[in-house]
Amino acid sequence: MSVSDGPPQEPDSPGRAEDLPRRLSPSQQARNVRAFSAVVARFREALLESPKALAFARDLVGAFADSEMSGGPTKSEVWALITEKHTPQYAQAFFDSRWTIFEHYDAIQPYLAKKHQQRYALHPAVGPATLIHERLRRHRGIEELVGLLDETRSLIGQPTRDRGAIKYNLLYCRQMLTLYAIHLERLVAVASIRELAAEQREHNHPGLSMRVKQLNEEVSAFFPGDHTLDHRAVALVSAEQRYQQALTAAGQRVIDQGGRSLDFEVLSAEEYLEAARHAPLTLLSQFGADLVVDPPSAWLDAGTLMEMVEDFAPHFRVRSRPPMPKVPREPDPAQRMVEARTRERSRQEHLAERALLEGDLADLTEELRRSRWRSSARLLADLMGLDADPYAPYQLRIGIELIVDRIGWVTYLHPVYLSRRAGEQHVRPILRREHGHHDAL
């Protein structure tokens, strides 16, 4: 059964019986599990006796698959097919005992439901059970977890996405990573250094972190606004970080104790290389503290020494002046202030000259009334600045009358008059920027 099939309704815990997929009937599920367990079962306990049990299961699957007997092979024909292909490492007595166990667990069934039936058929669950049990002997289930992560990513990429299956897989992967982390944390506390080194090697899967990260990003991209899936994807990342921390703690303990005891059997070549790259200097300096090294001395005779002295040519270093640093020229801050003030003064004088274009006296009341409030305030402030400047030939006069306009932009104001001071001549300034100078023409 595949975990990614998912239940019809979204489960909260994949470990409960009511949350498992319901595509098979309960009786069919029981028969599949029973035949699956026959590969490693005894009569009294479901434990793997020896590697010969898996070898028997592989030979049994091959014999039933290669049999061309009509109605299924007999027991003696199966044994003949096994011995015909190769000489097994187990005796016929072991074959008979395992055959009895397979019959007890309904993994081997009579071809026809008749008494004294001598021909048999093999339950198809025996084949996958053999592959799964062999992987569990090598990887402790990490490969299955990585495969489930890849299968979940493929479900997300399908046009019709099964949200229930994706939610189920996210929760299951998070729980499995948490169990692995707790298992490693316990081993760090109680296991021997050799057991911890062997366990740490089995969990060495470099693509696990990248798969979890990519799955989290794809859940956020394909299910925006789905807080439930987003929460489970984030929880999966947290569980993976805890799992990686437990792996790091296991490796650090192996490096620490292995380095102090000089036990070269606890580390692989890759782990020694990883320690050389990332272990602290204090740890690396203490690694060979107890080693005794007697390096050989160089042997030279007089003739060889004289030849080396004659051929030696000293190397002369010619010191040269370093290049001058290139310092970018920056404008003078004071000069920028002068230029800004000059431009502002030129703008104000242009406003005044525009108002006094037809004479030496101008009434600006109507212009202020027609303008918006911000523009009127800016114009009045510029003219007041010119009036306050003793060197500017302009005079601003504000009347005491009050003009109220309830529908205009400027609701109230006083009459405003701008005039040129008598006896002073002023030509409209023109701002030129040549070589940092400002001239008035």
Side-chain angles (χ1 to χ4, degrees):
M1 293 181 293
S2 175
V3 177
S4 62
D5 291 341
Q9 298 179 355
E10 298 176 0
D12 293 329
S13 174
R16 298 186 301 179
E18 60 270 23
D19 295 328
L20 295 177
R22 295 297 187 183
R23 297 186 178 181
L24 298 177
S25 64
S27 59
Q28 183 62 44
Q29 292 183 27
R31 286 194 296 270
N32 290 346
V33 174
R34 185 174 177 86
F36 181 89
S37 304
V39 177
V40 292
R42 292 181 180 178
F43 277 119
R44 295 185 178 179
E45 54 185 6
L47 295 175
L48 182 64
E49 297 175 348
S50 65
K52 291 193 299 183
L54 285 178
F56 168 80
R58 289 193 301 267
D59 295 342
L60 190 66
V61 171
F64 271 92
D66 296 337
S67 174
E68 298 179 357
M69 307 298 177
S70 178
T74 62
K75 179 180 177 180
S76 58
E77 290 172 346
V78 171
W79 174 247
L81 287 172
I82 292 176
T83 55
E84 180 184 351
K85 296 294 182 181
H86 58 276
T87 302
Q89 299 179 357
Y90 46 86
Q92 187 174 2
F94 179 80
F95 169 81
D96 295 335
S97 64
R98 297 302 299 172
W99 181 280
T100 304
I101 292 176
F102 272 60
E103 282 187 315
H104 175 74
Y105 281 89
D106 294 332
I108 297 178
Q109 302 171 352
Y111 194 86
L112 299 176
K114 295 181 179 180
K115 291 183 178 181
H116 310 292
Q117 174 64 239
Q118 300 297 323
R119 296 192 176 275
Y120 301 92
L122 185 68
H123 196 286
V126 176
T130 305
L131 299 176
I132 293 175
H133 286 302
E134 286 183 345
R135 286 202 302 268
L136 288 176
R137 289 171 60 87
R138 296 193 304 267
H139 301 291
R140 304 286 181 89
I142 293 295
E143 295 295 332
E144 278 67 27
L145 179 60
V146 173
L148 182 58
L149 291 172
D150 294 337
E151 188 173 352
T152 306
R153 292 183 57 197
S154 66
L155 288 176
I156 294 178
Q158 293 177 1
T160 57
R161 304 178 185 90
D162 189 351
R163 182 184 179 278
I166 295 172
K167 178 181 176 183
Y168 180 86
N169 289 2
L170 288 174
L171 178 60
Y172 187 83
C173 292
R174 191 265 300 172
Q175 292 178 346
M176 291 305 301
L177 281 173
T178 303
L179 290 178
Y180 285 133
I182 296 173
H183 176 66
L184 287 172
E185 291 169 356
R186 185 186 66 86
L187 292 181
V188 171
V190 302
S192 65
I193 187 171
R194 293 179 181 273
E195 294 175 350
L196 193 60
E199 185 74 20
Q200 197 263 348
R201 292 192 193 101
E202 293 184 2
H203 289 268
N204 187 18
H205 200 292
L208 182 62
S209 299
M210 182 59 64
R211 283 177 168 86
V212 172
K213 178 182 177 183
Q214 292 174 350
L215 180 58
N216 182 33
E217 294 175 352
E218 291 177 1
V219 168
S220 301
F222 286 95
F223 295 94
D226 194 329
H227 301 292
T228 302
L229 288 183
D230 185 69
H231 174 73
R232 295 202 173 183
V234 172
L236 176 62
V237 174
S238 300
E240 192 275 333
Q241 291 176 352
R242 180 180 178 182
Y243 171 71
Q244 292 297 333
Q245 291 175 358
L247 277 179
T248 304
Q252 189 64 37
R253 183 187 164 198
V254 171
I255 293 174
D256 292 343
Q257 295 189 5
R260 288 195 297 268
S261 62
L262 298 179
D263 191 352
F264 290 93
E265 297 182 1
V266 300
L267 296 180
S268 63
E270 292 79 8
E271 288 169 331
Y272 276 115
L273 181 60
E274 185 71 13
R277 291 175 175 174
H278 302 292
L281 292 179
T282 56
L283 180 62
L284 293 177
S285 62
Q286 299 173 1
F287 186 78
D290 299 331
L291 293 178
V292 178
V293 181
D294 187 13
S297 58
W299 183 83
L300 292 175
D301 58 3
T304 305
L305 181 60
M306 293 302 297
E307 290 179 0
M308 294 178 61
V309 171
E310 291 176 358
D311 296 339
F312 174 73
H315 298 279
F316 296 96
R317 293 184 59 187
V318 179
R319 303 184 65 180
S320 58
R321 185 186 299 274
M324 294 295 295
K326 296 181 180 180
V327 180
R329 293 188 59 185
E330 296 182 357
D332 187 7
Q335 183 66 24
R336 290 203 304 267
M337 293 177 60
V338 173
E339 293 176 357
R341 176 57 186 162
T342 303
R343 290 192 297 268
E344 183 67 15
R345 177 61 181 274
S346 176
R347 186 186 63 80
Q348 293 175 352
E349 290 183 351
H350 276 79
L351 289 176
E353 290 299 324
R354 179 182 61 81
L356 298 175
L357 188 62
E358 297 181 356
D360 293 337
L361 179 63
D363 185 359
L364 303 178
T365 306
E366 290 299 324
E367 182 176 354
L368 293 174
R369 291 182 61 183
R370 291 192 301 269
S371 302
R372 293 178 178 267
W373 175 258
R374 187 181 297 273
S375 301
S376 300
R378 179 64 184 274
L379 176 60
L380 189 60
D382 291 336
L383 297 179
M384 291 175 68
L386 289 176
D387 180 76
D389 190 353
Y391 299 101
Y394 305 104
Q395 184 177 8
L396 183 67
R397 185 171 61 87
I398 301 177
I400 62 175
E401 297 88 353
L402 179 62
I403 303 174
V404 178
D405 186 0
R406 64 183 182 83
I407 63 174
W409 291 102
V410 180
T411 56
Y412 65 91
L413 75 161
H414 298 274
V416 178
Y417 304 95
L418 178 65
S419 61
R420 186 179 289 109
R421 291 193 179 96
E424 298 187 22
Q425 297 293 330
H426 185 71
V427 182
R428 183 178 182 180
I430 300 177
L431 179 64
R432 295 195 314 174
R433 301 181 62 183
E434 297 180 2
H435 306 291
H437 299 285
H438 302 273
D439 303 329
L441 299 182

